[in-house]
Amino acid sequence: MANKKAKEALSKIKNEAAQTVGVTLKQGYNGDLTSRQAGSIGGEMVKKMVESYENSNSSSMQ
């Protein structure tokens, strides 16, 4: 159950990241993306996850 929720959350982050960098993703396989496009999406995902982590920790420290 938790695994399904984690996959859904990661998919949501991936789609938001792709939209942010201007890459259109299809449902399922996206092997036709260039390395630059895939890297841009991955980098944006990491950025969003770090921001989320920092926001959750800063609010719990106060």
Side-chain angles (χ1 to χ4, degrees):
M1 188 73 154
N3 191 26
K4 184 176 181 179
K5 287 183 181 181
K7 284 183 180 183
E8 289 173 357
L10 195 56
S11 181
K12 181 181 175 194
I13 291 171
K14 178 174 64 174
N15 288 322
E16 289 174 0
Q19 187 176 13
T20 300
V21 296
V23 176
T24 303
L25 294 178
K26 299 177 286 196
Q27 272 299 2
Y29 181 71
N30 283 285
D32 56 340
L33 294 178
T34 65
S35 296
R36 180 177 294 239
Q37 290 171 319
S40 295
I41 293 170
E44 189 65 28
M45 288 174 68
V46 170
K47 182 179 171 184
K48 287 179 180 292
M49 287 185 275
V50 168
E51 287 174 357
S52 175
Y53 175 79
E54 288 176 342
N55 289 339
S56 69
N57 277 345
S58 66
S59 63
S60 67
M61 293 180 146
Q62 295 178 350

